[in-house]
């Protein structure tokens, strides 16, 4: 088939090109995206919109739903904060220092992406139960971790761990050492250089990573339900409540909670995009 | 390594290394060790006995089947989207790129929910499917759909940035020399992106085989029929059959380790041929 023929039926929305195949690849990609992602999500929004804004508000503010949303929101934020702090340390150590086993540790950072969430969930529950390796250390002090909100926190730290490390690492790698040398030459101590020269340049990456970890944590289900205990008003996360509503065939209730969660994750996404736009203008990298 | 005027002192350096290593051991290494240790708690015989159970075997078969459908479909989608986005200019391109990443910002539970709203007994198309006697929810098609949804962006997002970077010069040369469009794709474009493609397939496959939340919502948990490996882990665990639960879990953890290993080898050996964000 000659390119001239193919170019003949290239739709006009693309600029003319000698390359063939725009129509079929674009058409397939957009149809597939619509069928798998866009139409199903639109059905959710349509279903929730049948309730109206005040209907969604009514569902979202019933005590049990509100408790679950608050729990998901605050524990996700706390876990994201821990990940920002330790993620910065891990990224720093992996980029700047050499020590035995560094490569393996670097590869291991992605484990929460690769390990199925259910596996992570039962492993963490086994570790932090009162008879587990770690839980047993805290049990004598009267501290229970598994089957309490503390357990949810542990699972969400696990699930969000790679995000901050992987966003900070490349920025730190590209950071020009000359800037640090200049700072030292001008008489700054090492602490001043790190906290007033290097750290400000890492802030956008830290915030982006934190927001990504938060967005993932809010929607997380598999790794949490095994360790949470799942008590209404105490340790019941929002995604679990959606599942409960579905099992009661309360489609409207499930859709309303899901819509609120979608709004939270899109807000997080918006924050991430604005940080990256700001960072591109300010530092020339995302 | 970076001593002198702009390095940290030994004490600070080793404290930071200890903190980082401690954090990673606590959150990554210990859970992994716990999986294998719990699986082997009653010895190797009990471990292997799990895999004689027909329900476990059915779960493994279903997981393989679902991945064998979802991964190739997302592969074809990833290549199509990458070709259209990287080789042509058209309005709305950046919107299309953002929409492809959309499934990553949707909770897995919501991913399952949307299909229940669409195809469930009380869903939009539920009555129609009932008339045709075709089940999607609480059946294999629903599991496949939910899996495709959650693994949707994996391959596309590895290939698109790389192909954008590579531009169109190679393809134009091939076409000028008389190759057909499809031959150009097979012999010029595909070899250029093969490592990034493999990288995306690895990640996509790991998630497809390990997905829990989305699949849990649409599966109905029917033993031997709609139970994937992660769902089987849950059922065994809730029955206090811990050795069997962790035995199946250890198989999934093994898959995760193989995926991580292969991914690292790709980053070390073929870093230049991966998407820009993957180069260390």
């Amino acid at each position: 088939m000659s390119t001239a023929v193919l170019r003949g039926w290239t739709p006009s929305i693309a600029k003319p090109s000698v390359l063939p195949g725009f129509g079929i690849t674009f058409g397939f990609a957009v149809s597939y995206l619509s069928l798998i992602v866009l139409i199903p999500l639109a059905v959710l929004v349509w279903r929730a919109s049948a309730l109206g804004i005040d209907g969604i508000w009514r569902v979202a503010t019933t005590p049990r739903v509100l408790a679950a949303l608050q729990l998901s929101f605050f524990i996700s934020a706390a876990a994201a904060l821990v990940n920002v702090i330790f993620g910065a340390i891990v990224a720093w150590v992996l980029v700047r220092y050499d020590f035995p086993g560094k490569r393996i540790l670097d590869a291991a950072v992605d484990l929460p992406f690769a390990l199925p969430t259910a596996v992570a969930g039962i492993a963490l529950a086994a570790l932090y139960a009162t008879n587990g390796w770690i839980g047993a250390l805290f049990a004598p002090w009267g501290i229970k971790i598994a089957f309490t909100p503390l357990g949810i926190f542990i699972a969400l730290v696990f699930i969000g761990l790679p995000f901050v490390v992987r966003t900070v690492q490349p920025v730190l790698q590209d950071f020009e050492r000359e800037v640090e040398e200049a700072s030292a030459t001008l008489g700054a101590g090492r602490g001043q250089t790190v906290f007033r020269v290097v750290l400000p340049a890492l802030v956008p990456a830290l915030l982006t990573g934190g927001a990504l970890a938060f967005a993932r944590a809010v929607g997380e289900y598999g790794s949490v339900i095994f360790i949470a205990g799942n008590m209404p008003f105490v340790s019941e996360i929002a995604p679990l409540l959606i599942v409960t509503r579905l099992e009661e065939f309360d489609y409207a209730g499930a859709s309303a909670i899901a819509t609120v969660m979608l709004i939270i994750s899109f807000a997080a996404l918006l924050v991430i995009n604005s940080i990256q736009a700001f960072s591109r203008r300010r530092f020339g990298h995302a | 390594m970076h001593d002198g005027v702009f390095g940290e002192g030994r004490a600070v350096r080793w404290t930071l290394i200890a903190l980082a290593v401690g954090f990673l051991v606590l959150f990554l290494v210990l859970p992994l060790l716990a999986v294998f240790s719990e699986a082997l708690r009653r010895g190797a015989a009990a471990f292997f006995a799990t895999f004689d159970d027909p329900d476990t075997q059915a779960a493994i078969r279903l997981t393989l089947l679902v991945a064998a459908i979802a991964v190739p479909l997302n592969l074809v989608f990833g290549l199509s989207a990458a070709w259209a986005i990287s080789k042509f200019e058209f309005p709305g391109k950046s919107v299309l790129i953002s929409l492809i990443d959309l499934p990553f910002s949707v909770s897995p539970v919501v991913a399952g929910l949307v299909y229940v709203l669409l195809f469930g007994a009380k869903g939009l198309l539920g009555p129609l499917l009932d008339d045709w006697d075709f089940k999607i929810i609480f059946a294999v098609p629903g599991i496949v759909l939910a899996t495709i949804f959650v693994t949707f962006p994996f391959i596309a997002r590895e290939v698109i940035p790389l192909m954008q970077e590579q531009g169109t010069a190679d393809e134009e040369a091939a076409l000028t020399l008389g190759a057909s469009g499809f031959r150009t794709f097979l012999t010029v474009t595909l070899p250029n992106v093969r490592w990034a493609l493999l990288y995306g397939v690895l990640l996509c496959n790991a998630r497809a085989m390990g997905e829990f939340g989305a699949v849990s919502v649409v599966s109905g948990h029917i033993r031997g029929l709609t139970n994937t490996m992660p769902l089987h882990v849950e059922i065994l665990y809730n029955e206090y059959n811990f050795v069997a639960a962790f035995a199946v879990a250890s198989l999934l953890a093994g898959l995760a380790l193989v995926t991580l290993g292969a991914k690292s080898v790709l980053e070390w050996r073929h870093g230049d041929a991966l998407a820009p964000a993957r180069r260390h």
Side-chain angles (χ1 to χ4, degrees):
Chain A
M1 217 182 317
S2 84
T3 55
V5 173
L6 282 160
R7 199 175 356 162
W9 50 264
T10 297
S12 55
I13 86 158
K15 282 195 188 153
S17 161
V18 288
L19 297 180
F22 176 75
I24 186 162
T25 55
F26 181 80
F28 175 73
V30 170
S31 316
Y32 187 75
L33 175 72
S34 306
L35 285 175
I36 299 288
V37 179
L38 301 182
I39 295 174
L41 280 176
V43 170
L44 167 66
V45 174
W46 170 75
R47 194 88 194 202
S49 69
L51 290 169
I53 304 264
D54 43 307
I56 294 174
W57 185 252
R58 245 197 323 276
V59 173
T61 51
T62 52
R64 186 171 167 190
V65 177
L66 197 62
L69 285 170
Q70 277 173 340
L71 186 78
S72 284
F73 189 89
F74 285 113
I75 299 189
S76 300
L81 185 69
V82 167
N83 275 321
V84 165
I85 295 165
F86 280 91
I89 296 174
V90 170
W92 180 272
V93 164
L94 288 179
V95 172
R96 290 295 175 93
Y97 303 149
D98 259 334
F99 56 93
K102 177 172 135 170
R103 267 194 156 186
I104 291 177
L105 227 47
D106 193 358
V109 167
D110 283 330
L111 184 72
F113 287 157
L115 193 68
T117 53
V119 177
I122 62 168
L124 291 172
L127 272 180
Y128 288 91
T130 44
N131 60 353
W133 294 343
I134 300 173
L137 300 177
F138 288 91
W141 306 86
I143 302 171
K144 274 191 70 182
I145 300 175
F147 319 120
T148 72
L150 215 51
I152 304 178
F153 170 76
I154 298 284
L156 295 183
V157 170
F158 171 84
I159 215 72
L161 192 148
F163 289 100
V164 178
V165 180
R166 292 305 186 222
T167 45
V168 173
Q169 232 175 352
V171 180
L172 202 54
Q173 229 139 27
D174 294 341
F175 191 81
E176 285 174 30
R177 309 281 310 186
E178 287 79 1
V179 181
E180 281 170 75
E181 285 176 52
S183 164
T185 318
L186 292 170
R190 186 59 189 157
Q192 276 180 307
T193 303
V194 168
F195 284 102
R196 300 181 60 179
V197 176
V198 184
L199 201 59
L202 298 182
V203 164
L206 285 168
L207 289 177
T208 303
L212 285 168
F214 172 79
R216 170 73 202 259
V218 168
E220 179 56 22
Y221 175 72
S223 61
V224 175
I225 55 161
F226 293 99
I227 198 173
N230 307 326
M231 296 244 306
F233 296 102
V234 178
S235 54
E236 183 180 55
I237 54 166
L240 176 66
L241 201 50
I242 294 181
V243 173
T244 310
R245 291 284 186 262
L246 268 179
E247 279 165 0
E248 296 160 352
F249 293 101
D250 178 7
Y251 286 9
S255 309
I257 306 169
T259 309
V260 174
M261 287 182 53
L262 273 186
I263 293 169
I264 296 176
S265 34
F266 288 151
L269 213 63
L270 205 67
V271 169
I272 295 166
N273 284 338
S274 356
I275 298 168
Q276 284 179 337
F278 167 79
S279 159
R280 254 191 299 275
R281 280 200 307 275
R282 177 79 172 68
F283 300 101
H285 58 66
Chain B
M1 173 181 172
H2 305 295
D3 283 308
V5 285
F6 60 96
E8 290 81 39
R10 271 182 83 88
V12 175
R13 194 183 327 164
W14 285 105
T15 309
L16 288 175
I17 291 177
L19 270 176
V21 173
F23 180 71
L24 294 182
V25 167
L26 182 66
F27 277 98
L28 301 178
V29 179
L30 282 183
L32 206 54
L33 286 179
V35 172
F36 293 105
S37 141
E38 293 286 331
L40 293 167
R41 176 168 284 220
R42 305 240 182 283
F47 176 84
F48 287 113
T50 306
F51 300 102
D52 290 336
D53 174 18
D55 287 340
T56 304
Q57 291 172 356
I60 295 174
R61 274 198 303 273
L62 180 59
T63 291
L64 293 174
L65 172 72
V66 169
I69 300 171
V71 176
L73 280 174
N74 282 339
L75 176 72
V76 173
F77 164 74
L79 284 173
S80 299
W83 182 266
I85 286 170
S86 65
K87 306 297 179 194
F88 299 91
E89 286 307 321
F90 56 90
K93 190 194 269 192
S94 58
V95 176
L96 181 60
I97 296 176
S98 316
L99 286 177
I100 289 173
D101 272 342
L102 194 58
F104 276 162
S105 41
V106 174
S107 168
V109 169
V110 177
L113 167 73
V114 295
Y115 291 110
V116 175
L117 295 179
L118 203 50
F119 301 120
K122 284 169 69 185
L124 194 58
L125 301 177
L128 194 66
L129 291 169
D130 219 31
D131 289 347
W132 293 346
D133 205 18
F134 185 69
K135 272 181 83 104
I136 292 184
I137 300 305
F138 302 156
V140 175
I143 296 174
V144 172
L145 278 173
T147 305
I148 292 177
F149 186 104
V150 293
T151 58
F152 191 87
F154 277 104
I155 296 172
R157 73 198 320 249
E158 297 303 328
V159 185
I160 291 171
L162 182 65
M163 271 170 73
Q164 280 185 308
E165 192 181 63
Q166 287 171 345
T168 56
D170 288 2
E171 283 80 9
E172 279 163 12
L175 288 166
T176 313
L177 293 171
S180 70
F182 190 60
R183 186 150 173 234
T184 302
F185 172 76
L186 278 187
T187 55
V188 177
T189 313
L190 216 45
N192 277 343
V193 297
R194 65 186 189 279
W195 298 117
L197 207 56
L198 180 60
Y199 193 97
V201 166
L202 278 169
L203 297 187
C204 183
N205 180 62
R207 181 72 191 264
M209 289 189 171
E211 177 53 25
F212 178 77
V215 169
S216 167
V217 171
V218 297
S219 138
H221 307 92
I222 309 162
R223 267 172 193 252
L225 287 178
T226 65
N227 243 5
T228 61
M229 282 167 78
L231 299 178
H232 197 53
V233 168
E234 183 196 23
I235 287 194
L236 293 169
Y237 187 83
N238 287 343
E239 288 172 343
Y240 302 100
N241 192 349
F242 293 134
V243 167
F246 279 99
V248 179
S250 69
L251 212 56
L252 288 167
L255 168 74
L257 288 178
V258 170
T259 305
L260 279 188
K263 177 178 164 302
S264 301
V265 168
L266 281 178
E267 282 166 7
W268 295 333
R269 293 270 171 81
H270 304 287
D272 298 342
L274 296 179
R278 302 296 184 192
R279 292 167 202 157
H280 283 328

